[in-house]
Amino acid sequence: DQQVKQNSPSLSVQEGRISILNCDYTNSMFDYFLWYKKYPAEGPTFLISISSIKDKNEDGRFTVFLNKSAKHLSLHIVPSQPGDSAVYFCAASTLSSKLTFGTGTRLQVTL
Amino acid sequence: NAGVTQTPKFQVLKTGQSMTLQCAQDMNHNSMYWYRQDPGMGLRLIYYSASEGTTDKGEVPNGYNVSRLNKREFSLRLESAAPSQTSVYFCASSPGGAGTYEQYFGPGTRLTVT
């Protein structure tokens, strides 16, 4: 069963607007959540993370929100830029430090 | 620092052939991982090594073996390749230990089994 779900395979946003990528999880033992960005023919690169003791973490244009009661997290990118066009994976971890990944959302930022 | 390096970048195998994917990291990380990425499936953990000298199965270990050669190197072996193993393979490393979750990925190996 898919413990981490990204239900939107793709998202298109205009440059300058907000991009919101969503992720849901089912395992209540997850205590740390990460977002990775992946360009074609490259490996994923770490973007931002959040611990389960927080509900928000911000880094420049990127903000991650965590709603533990709903088992939902989201990544906000403001303002979106063409260079943000990539596949975004959310990932979750328990104390073991192993990561469980979602299936990814392809973001396209249009001019 | 090169980070995480993987060889080869591309490989085509015939069914039944064997090969080893190589991975090395120069960040002095304790933990290393092998994933496969398939369309619509995200990244799935094949094997991992929490520290030098230890290896454990991940979500999809069947058909693979691993060797943690030393702290730097972690190889993935396909003994008898099958078309179902056509995928992109990523190696990753992390510092390891309590509270360390971020993993650093290599550029990937694209494997096709015909």
Side-chain angles (χ1 to χ4, degrees):
Chain A
D1 64 335
Q2 192 77 22
Q3 296 188 65
V4 178
K5 300 177 185 179
Q6 294 177 256
N7 291 318
S8 298
S10 63
L11 175 68
S12 183
V13 172
Q14 272 190 321
E15 181 181 10
R17 307 294 286 267
I18 183 171
S19 295
I20 301 176
L21 294 91
N22 294 304
C23 180
D24 297 293
Y25 62 95
T26 57
N27 188 345
S28 58
M29 297 301 291
F30 288 141
D31 65 349
Y32 202 82
F33 303 88
L34 307 90
W35 284 95
Y36 279 81
K37 176 179 182 179
K38 185 183 180 306
Y39 292 119
E42 294 183 10
T45 55
F46 170 75
L47 194 57
I48 192 170
S49 62
I50 188 167
S51 165
S52 60
I53 62 173
K54 295 185 175 182
D55 55 16
K56 177 182 174 181
N57 188 28
E58 193 171 353
D59 184 0
R61 297 186 296 114
F62 303 91
T63 303
V64 56
F65 295 91
L66 176 63
N67 182 333
K68 280 199 304 183
S69 61
K71 294 190 175 69
H72 177 82
L73 66 155
S74 60
L75 174 68
H76 293 208
I77 307 173
V78 182
S80 300
Q81 299 174 352
D84 296 329
S85 297
V87 177
Y88 290 78
F89 291 98
C90 68
S93 182
T94 62
L95 291 173
S96 71
S97 297
K98 289 189 293 182
L99 297 181
T100 300
F101 284 85
T103 52
T105 296
R106 183 177 303 276
L107 173 66
Q108 183 173 8
V109 179
T110 58
L111 298 174
Chain B
N1 284 353
V4 179
T5 57
Q6 293 183 237
T7 56
K9 284 188 167 51
F10 301 94
Q11 184 71 48
V12 179
L13 290 179
K14 294 188 188 307
T15 298
Q17 287 185 319
S18 62
M19 79 160 296
T20 300
L21 282 66
Q22 307 286 354
C23 174
Q25 52 90 9
D26 62 2
M27 296 175 283
N28 200 34
H29 284 170
N30 290 309
S31 302
M32 298 186 73
Y33 310 82
W34 276 105
Y35 293 88
R36 59 179 289 174
Q37 185 195 6
D38 302 293
M41 301 290 287
L43 285 89
R44 292 182 294 168
L45 183 65
I46 304 171
Y47 270 94
Y48 68 102
S49 171
S51 60
E52 187 179 356
T54 69
T55 60
D56 284 291
K57 294 178 181 178
E59 181 185 355
V60 287
N62 291 345
Y64 305 95
N65 285 300
V66 291
S67 295
R68 182 76 183 265
L69 304 169
N70 47 55
K71 191 171 186 178
R72 288 187 65 247
E73 298 171 289
F74 189 38
S75 63
L76 178 72
R77 182 158 178 85
L78 288 70
E79 290 291 351
S80 179
S84 61
Q85 294 178 305
T86 294
S87 188
V88 181
Y89 291 85
F90 291 101
C91 177
S93 71
S94 71
T100 61
Y101 299 92
E102 184 181 331
Q103 295 180 13
Y104 299 81
F105 284 80
T109 294
R110 185 174 294 275
L111 174 67
T112 302
V113 183
T114 61

